[in-house]
Amino acid sequence: MSRLEHSEFRFRTGIGFDAHVLASQRKLMLGGVEIPHKQGLAGHSDGDVLLHAITDALLGALGLPDIGSQFPDTDPAYKDADSTDLLKEVCRLVRNKGYRVANVDSVVICDEPRLAPHADALQASIAAILEIGKDRVGIQAKTTEGTMLAIPGKSIAVLATVLLYREQ
Ligand code: MG
């Protein structure tokens, strides 16, 4: 087998992006945590844009198609799905392929609500889902500063990266 065979790579990185629109009469789920807010994120599942971006980063690191291909929004099985369950399923895939999560970093672009008071809870929740220490989960909460990177009060966008290492 060649030294460069996929199965022999010790490290793999992945990047994920997601954005959802804020809507009324929805719970705001972020990182598996319910955040008190007058609006929540629209979506076929629970709309957890942060978990979706991390899920995509893991899938990307494995060279697999994204979350929409793995869990199609045309499939009624995933209507109002708990994104925690979807991420856990992808974590099992990571483990089955012989990898472990080294660390995750994320940038949550969001004007409302202010996420700084919740950053610790988000970090703990994601660490628990991924079964890694809190110090291996980065949560950067950024406001748009009027740049329209995410429409203020209308949407939340997330970028996430992961590093996987091969278990020997
Ligand atoms: Mg999504």
Coordinates of all heavy atoms in Angstrom, one line a residue, residues 83-139:
S83 N -30.5 17.9 16.2 CA -29.2 18.0 15.5 C -28.1 17.3 16.3 O -27.1 16.9 15.8 CB -28.8 19.4 15.2 OG -29.8 20.0 14.3
T84 N -28.3 17.2 17.7 CA -27.4 16.5 18.5 C -27.2 15.0 18.0 O -26.1 14.5 18.0 CB -27.8 16.5 20.0 OG1 -27.9 17.9 20.4 CG2 -26.9 15.8 20.9
D85 N -28.4 14.4 17.7 CA -28.4 13.0 17.3 C -27.6 12.9 15.9 O -26.9 11.9 15.7 CB -29.8 12.5 17.1 CG -30.5 12.4 18.4 OD1 -29.9 12.3 19.5 OD2 -31.8 12.5 18.4
L86 N -27.8 13.9 15.0 CA -27.2 13.8 13.7 C -25.7 13.9 13.9 O -24.9 13.1 13.3 CB -27.7 14.9 12.8 CG -29.2 15.1 12.6 CD1 -29.5 16.2 11.6 CD2 -29.8 13.7 12.2
L87 N -25.2 14.8 14.8 CA -23.8 15.0 15.0 C -23.2 13.7 15.7 O -22.1 13.3 15.3 CB -23.5 16.2 15.9 CG -22.1 16.5 16.2 CD1 -21.2 16.5 15.0 CD2 -22.0 17.8 17.0
K88 N -24.0 13.1 16.6 CA -23.5 11.9 17.2 C -23.3 10.8 16.2 O -22.4 10.0 16.3 CB -24.4 11.5 18.4 CG -24.2 12.3 19.6 CD -25.1 11.8 20.7 CE -24.9 12.5 22.0 NZ -25.9 12.2 23.1
E89 N -24.2 10.7 15.3 CA -24.2 9.7 14.2 C -22.9 9.9 13.4 O -22.2 8.9 13.1 CB -25.4 9.7 13.4 CG -25.6 8.5 12.5 CD -27.0 8.4 11.9 OE1 -27.9 8.8 12.5 OE2 -27.0 7.9 10.8
V90 N -22.6 11.1 13.1 CA -21.4 11.4 12.3 C -20.1 11.1 13.1 O -19.1 10.7 12.6 CB -21.4 12.8 11.7 CG1 -20.1 13.3 11.1 CG2 -22.5 13.0 10.7
C91 N -20.2 11.4 14.4 CA -19.1 11.0 15.3 C -18.8 9.5 15.3 O -17.6 9.1 15.3 CB -19.4 11.5 16.8 SG -19.1 13.2 17.0
R92 N -19.9 8.8 15.3 CA -19.7 7.3 15.2 C -19.0 6.9 13.9 O -18.1 6.1 13.8 CB -21.0 6.6 15.3 CG -21.5 6.4 16.7 CD -22.7 5.4 16.8 NE -23.9 6.0 16.2 CZ -24.8 6.8 16.9 NH1 -24.5 7.1 18.1 NH2 -25.8 7.2 16.3
L93 N -19.4 7.6 12.8 CA -18.7 7.4 11.5 C -17.2 7.7 11.6 O -16.4 7.0 11.1 CB -19.4 8.3 10.5 CG -19.4 8.0 9.0 CD1 -19.9 6.6 8.7 CD2 -20.2 9.1 8.2
V94 N -16.9 8.8 12.2 CA -15.5 9.2 12.4 C -14.7 8.1 13.2 O -13.6 7.7 12.7 CB -15.4 10.6 13.2 CG1 -14.0 10.8 13.7 CG2 -15.9 11.7 12.4
R95 N -15.3 7.6 14.2 CA -14.7 6.6 15.0 C -14.5 5.3 14.2 O -13.5 4.6 14.3 CB -15.4 6.3 16.3 CG -15.2 7.3 17.4 CD -15.7 6.9 18.7 NE -17.1 6.9 18.8 CZ -17.8 8.0 19.2 NH1 -17.2 9.1 19.5 NH2 -19.2 7.9 19.2
N96 N -15.6 5.0 13.5 CA -15.6 3.7 12.7 C -14.5 3.8 11.6 O -14.0 2.7 11.2 CB -16.9 3.5 12.0 CG -18.0 3.1 13.0 OD1 -17.6 2.7 14.1 ND2 -19.2 3.2 12.6
K97 N -14.1 5.0 11.2 CA -13.0 5.1 10.2 C -11.7 5.2 10.9 O -10.7 5.5 10.2 CB -13.3 6.3 9.3 CG -14.5 6.0 8.3 CD -14.7 7.1 7.3 CE -15.8 6.8 6.3 NZ -15.4 5.7 5.3
G98 N -11.6 5.1 12.2 CA -10.4 5.0 12.9 C -9.9 6.4 13.3 O -8.7 6.5 13.7
Y99 N -10.7 7.4 13.3 CA -10.3 8.7 13.7 C -10.9 9.2 15.0 O -11.9 8.7 15.4 CB -10.6 9.8 12.6 CG -9.7 9.6 11.4 CD1 -10.1 8.9 10.3 CD2 -8.5 10.2 11.3 CE1 -9.3 8.7 9.2 CE2 -7.6 10.1 10.2 CZ -8.0 9.4 9.2 OH -7.2 9.2 8.1
R100 N -10.3 10.2 15.6 CA -10.8 10.8 16.8 C -10.7 12.3 16.6 O -9.9 12.8 15.7 CB -9.9 10.5 18.1 CG -10.0 9.0 18.5 CD -11.3 8.7 19.1 NE -11.4 7.3 19.6 CZ -11.8 6.3 18.9 NH1 -12.1 6.4 17.6 NH2 -11.8 5.1 19.4
V101 N -11.6 13.1 17.3 CA -11.6 14.5 17.1 C -10.5 15.1 18.0 O -10.5 14.9 19.2 CB -12.9 15.1 17.5 CG1 -12.9 16.7 17.4 CG2 -14.0 14.6 16.6
A102 N -9.5 15.8 17.4 CA -8.5 16.5 18.2 C -9.1 17.8 18.8 O -9.0 18.0 20.0 CB -7.3 16.8 17.3
N103 N -9.6 18.6 17.9 CA -10.3 19.9 18.4 C -11.2 20.4 17.3 O -11.2 20.0 16.1 CB -9.2 20.9 18.7 CG -8.6 21.6 17.6 OD1 -7.9 20.9 16.8 ND2 -8.7 22.8 17.4
V104 N -12.1 21.3 17.8 CA -13.0 22.0 16.9 C -12.9 23.5 17.2 O -12.7 23.9 18.4 CB -14.5 21.5 17.3 CG1 -15.5 22.4 16.6 CG2 -14.7 20.1 17.0
D105 N -13.0 24.3 16.2 CA -13.1 25.7 16.4 C -14.3 26.2 15.6 O -14.6 25.7 14.6 CB -11.8 26.5 16.0 CG -11.8 27.9 16.6 OD1 -12.6 28.2 17.4 OD2 -10.9 28.6 16.1
S106 N -15.0 27.3 16.1 CA -16.1 27.8 15.4 C -16.2 29.3 15.6 O -15.8 29.9 16.6 CB -17.4 27.1 16.0 OG -17.6 27.4 17.3
V107 N -16.8 29.9 14.5 CA -17.1 31.3 14.6 C -18.6 31.5 14.4 O -19.1 31.1 13.3 CB -16.4 32.1 13.5 CG1 -16.7 33.6 13.6 CG2 -14.9 31.9 13.6
V108 N -19.3 32.0 15.4 CA -20.8 32.2 15.3 C -21.0 33.7 15.0 O -20.7 34.5 15.8 CB -21.5 31.8 16.6 CG1 -23.0 31.8 16.4 CG2 -21.1 30.3 17.0
I109 N -21.6 33.9 13.8 CA -21.8 35.3 13.4 C -23.3 35.7 13.6 O -24.2 35.1 13.0 CB -21.5 35.5 11.9 CG1 -20.0 35.1 11.6 CG2 -21.7 37.0 11.4 CD1 -19.7 34.8 10.1
C110 N -23.5 36.5 14.6 CA -24.8 36.7 15.2 C -24.9 38.0 16.0 O -24.1 38.3 16.8 CB -25.0 35.5 16.1 SG -26.5 35.6 17.2
D111 N -25.9 38.9 15.6 CA -26.0 40.1 16.4 C -27.0 39.9 17.6 O -26.8 40.5 18.6 CB -26.6 41.2 15.4 CG -25.6 41.7 14.5 OD1 -24.7 42.4 15.0 OD2 -25.6 41.4 13.3
E112 N -28.0 39.2 17.4 CA -29.0 38.9 18.4 C -29.3 37.4 18.5 O -29.6 36.9 17.4 CB -30.3 39.7 18.2 CG -30.2 41.2 18.2 CD -31.5 41.8 17.7 OE1 -32.5 41.1 17.7 OE2 -31.5 43.0 17.4
P113 N -29.4 36.8 19.6 CA -29.1 37.4 20.9 C -27.5 37.5 21.1 O -26.8 36.9 20.4 CB -29.7 36.4 21.9 CG -29.6 35.1 21.2 CD -29.8 35.4 19.7
R114 N -27.1 38.2 22.2 CA -25.7 38.2 22.5 C -25.3 36.8 23.1 O -26.0 36.3 23.9 CB -25.4 39.3 23.6 CG -25.6 40.7 23.1 CD -24.4 41.0 22.2 NE -24.5 42.4 21.7 CZ -23.6 43.0 20.9 NH1 -22.5 42.3 20.6 NH2 -23.8 44.2 20.5
L115 N -24.3 36.3 22.5 CA -24.0 34.9 22.9 C -22.9 34.8 23.9 O -22.7 33.7 24.5 CB -23.5 34.1 21.6 CG -24.6 33.9 20.6 CD1 -24.1 33.1 19.4 CD2 -25.8 33.1 21.2
A116 N -22.2 35.9 24.2 CA -21.1 35.8 25.2 C -21.5 35.1 26.5 O -20.8 34.3 27.0 CB -20.5 37.2 25.4
P117 N -22.7 35.5 27.0 CA -23.1 34.9 28.3 C -23.3 33.4 28.2 O -23.4 32.7 29.2 CB -24.4 35.6 28.7 CG -24.5 36.8 27.8 CD -23.7 36.5 26.6
H118 N -23.5 32.9 27.0 CA -23.8 31.4 26.8 C -22.6 30.6 26.3 O -22.8 29.4 26.1 CB -25.0 31.3 25.8 CG -26.2 32.1 26.2 ND1 -27.1 31.7 27.2 CD2 -26.7 33.2 25.7 CE1 -28.0 32.6 27.3 NE2 -27.8 33.5 26.4
A119 N -21.5 31.3 26.0 CA -20.4 30.6 25.4 C -19.9 29.4 26.2 O -19.6 28.4 25.6 CB -19.2 31.6 25.2
D120 N -19.9 29.5 27.5 CA -19.5 28.4 28.3 C -20.4 27.2 28.2 O -19.9 26.1 28.1 CB -19.4 28.9 29.8 CG -18.5 28.0 30.6 OD1 -17.3 27.9 30.2 OD2 -18.9 27.4 31.6
A121 N -21.7 27.5 28.2 CA -22.7 26.4 28.0 C -22.6 25.7 26.7 O -22.7 24.5 26.5 CB -24.1 26.9 28.3
L122 N -22.4 26.5 25.6 CA -22.2 26.0 24.3 C -21.0 25.1 24.2 O -21.0 24.0 23.6 CB -22.1 27.1 23.2 CG -23.2 28.1 23.1 CD1 -23.1 29.0 21.9 CD2 -24.6 27.4 23.0
Q123 N -19.9 25.6 24.8 CA -18.6 24.8 24.8 C -18.8 23.5 25.5 O -18.4 22.5 25.0 CB -17.6 25.7 25.5 CG -16.2 25.2 25.4 CD -15.2 26.0 26.2 OE1 -15.5 26.5 27.3 NE2 -14.0 26.1 25.7
A124 N -19.4 23.5 26.6 CA -19.7 22.3 27.4 C -20.5 21.3 26.7 O -20.3 20.1 26.7 CB -20.3 22.6 28.8
S125 N -21.6 21.8 26.0 CA -22.5 21.0 25.3 C -21.8 20.3 24.1 O -21.9 19.1 23.9 CB -23.7 21.8 24.8 OG -24.5 21.1 23.9
I126 N -21.1 21.0 23.4 CA -20.4 20.5 22.2 C -19.3 19.5 22.6 O -19.2 18.4 22.0 CB -19.8 21.6 21.3 CG1 -21.0 22.4 20.7 CG2 -18.9 21.1 20.2 CD1 -20.6 23.7 20.1
A127 N -18.6 19.8 23.7 CA -17.6 18.9 24.2 C -18.2 17.6 24.6 O -17.7 16.5 24.3 CB -16.9 19.5 25.4
A128 N -19.4 17.6 25.2 CA -20.1 16.4 25.7 C -20.5 15.6 24.5 O -20.4 14.4 24.5 CB -21.3 16.8 26.5
I129 N -21.1 16.2 23.5 CA -21.5 15.5 22.3 C -20.4 14.8 21.6 O -20.5 13.7 21.1 CB -22.2 16.5 21.3 CG1 -23.5 17.1 21.9 CG2 -22.6 15.8 20.0 CD1 -24.0 18.3 21.1
L130 N -19.2 15.5 21.5 CA -18.1 15.0 20.8 C -17.2 14.1 21.7 O -16.3 13.5 21.2 CB -17.2 16.2 20.2 CG -17.9 17.1 19.2 CD1 -16.9 18.2 18.9 CD2 -18.2 16.3 17.9
E131 N -17.6 14.1 23.0 CA -16.8 13.3 23.9 C -15.3 13.7 24.0 O -14.4 12.8 23.9 CB -17.0 11.8 23.7 CG -18.4 11.3 23.8 CD -18.7 9.9 23.5 OE1 -17.7 9.1 23.7 OE2 -19.8 9.5 23.2
I132 N -15.1 15.0 24.0 CA -13.7 15.5 24.2 C -13.8 16.6 25.3 O -14.9 17.0 25.7 CB -13.2 16.2 22.9 CG1 -14.2 17.3 22.4 CG2 -13.1 15.1 21.8 CD1 -13.6 18.0 21.1
G133 N -12.6 17.0 25.7 CA -12.5 18.0 26.8 C -13.0 19.4 26.3 O -12.9 19.7 25.1
K134 N -13.5 20.2 27.2 CA -14.0 21.6 26.9 C -12.9 22.4 26.2 O -13.1 23.3 25.4 CB -14.5 22.3 28.1 CG -15.9 22.1 28.4 CD -16.3 22.8 29.7 CE -16.3 24.3 29.5 NZ -16.8 25.0 30.8
D135 N -11.6 22.2 26.7 CA -10.5 23.0 26.1 C -10.2 22.7 24.7 O -9.3 23.3 24.1 CB -9.3 22.8 27.0 CG -8.7 21.4 27.0 OD1 -9.5 20.5 26.7 OD2 -7.6 21.2 27.4
R136 N -10.9 21.7 24.1 CA -10.7 21.4 22.7 C -11.8 21.9 21.8 O -11.9 21.5 20.7 CB -10.5 19.9 22.6 CG -9.2 19.4 23.3 CD -8.8 18.1 22.7 NE -9.1 17.0 23.6 CZ -9.2 15.7 23.1 NH1 -9.0 15.5 21.8 NH2 -9.5 14.7 23.9
V137 N -12.7 22.7 22.4 CA -13.8 23.3 21.7 C -13.7 24.8 21.7 O -13.7 25.4 22.8 CB -15.2 22.9 22.3 CG1 -16.3 23.5 21.5 CG2 -15.3 21.3 22.2
G138 N -13.6 25.4 20.5 CA -13.5 26.9 20.5 C -14.9 27.5 20.0 O -15.5 26.9 19.1
I139 N -15.3 28.5 20.7 CA -16.6 29.2 20.3 C -16.2 30.7 20.3 O -15.9 31.3 21.3 CB -17.7 29.0 21.4 CG1 -18.0 27.6 21.7 CG2 -18.9 29.8 21.0 CD1 -18.8 26.9 20.7

